[in-house]
Amino acid sequence: MARPKKYVVTLTEEERKKLKELVSKGNQPVRVVRRAQMLLAADAGEANTSIGRTLHVHPNTVTNVCKRFVEAGLEAALYERPRPGKPPKLDAKGEATLIALACSEPPEGRACWTMYLLAERLVELGVVEAISDETVRRVLKKTALSPGKSSTGVSAS
C-alpha cells in the first residue's frame, strides 16, 4: 500500500499555464524543464515513483522539487539558488588585458614574462588590487599562451 504524499502539489491555473508553456518551448535548461514536468505530473495526482520512472529521475528528486514548491513557491522549485563561492579575480576585460600583456615584449632585462611579473604588472596597471601568480597561470593555461609551450611548431632540422 502506497503512503500518502507528504507534499501535495496544487497548481493555480496561472502556474499550470506557465509550466506548460515552459515545457513546450525549448529555451530553458533541461533541469528546469524536468522540474516543470515533475510539478505538472504531481499536480495531476501521479505518484512520485511513477513520475520518477517516467522522467528517469529518483523519486527523492521528485519529492524534493515538490517540497520546495510547497514551502517556497514556483520559482524556488524550478530554479536553483545561487551557489556559494568567490567571484573570479579577473573578469573578461581583465583576462584580455592579461593575455595582451603576456603577448607583449617582456620588461627590459628579461628574456620572457614570468607569472610573478605578470601578476605584479596587473596590480601596477590597476586591473586588480591583488592577484597571485597561480591565478595568472590558471588564466593563461586556458589559452594557447602557456609558457611551457615554447615550440614554434617547426620541426628541428
Side-chain angles (χ1 to χ4, degrees):
M1 186 169 142
R3 290 185 299 174
K5 283 187 174 185
K6 189 173 181 179
Y7 301 101
V8 179
V9 175
T10 308
L11 297 170
T12 64
E13 195 57 45
E14 185 180 312
E15 290 171 333
R16 197 175 293 113
K17 181 181 175 188
K18 180 179 178 180
L19 290 174
K20 285 181 180 178
E21 186 178 302
L22 197 141
V23 168
S24 65
K25 291 184 177 178
N27 59 355
Q28 291 290 327
V30 174
R31 284 181 173 193
V32 174
V33 173
R34 278 256 168 85
R35 291 174 185 151
Q37 291 169 331
M38 288 177 212
L39 291 172
L40 287 169
D43 181 52
E46 285 187 48
N48 290 353
T49 53
S50 70
I51 296 170
R53 217 175 299 120
T54 304
L55 296 176
H56 305 288
V57 296
H58 197 277
N60 290 350
T61 304
V62 180
T63 303
N64 290 337
V65 170
C66 293
K67 178 182 177 182
R68 278 201 312 267
F69 173 76
V70 170
E71 292 178 351
L74 184 62
E75 295 298 314
L78 291 177
Y79 303 101
E80 296 176 13
R81 292 186 307 261
R83 294 179 186 235
K86 223 174 183 183
K89 278 274 191 184
L90 290 175
D91 57 359
K93 186 178 178 184
E95 284 187 19
T97 305
L98 172 60
I99 292 168
L101 194 59
C103 292
S104 69
E105 288 294 315
E108 199 163 313
R110 298 288 191 145
C112 62
W113 283 102
T114 64
M115 300 300 130
Y116 184 76
L117 286 173
L118 288 168
E120 278 187 338
R121 185 60 57 94
L122 286 173
V123 173
E124 286 173 14
L125 293 173
V127 176
V128 289
E129 234 176 84
I131 191 166
S132 71
D133 55 331
E134 177 61 16
T135 304
V136 169
R137 184 195 66 79
R138 256 186 265 121
V139 170
L140 291 177
K141 186 177 179 186
K142 289 190 270 181
T143 67
L145 298 174
S146 178
K149 295 185 176 186
S150 59
S151 171
T152 60
V154 179
S155 59
S157 25

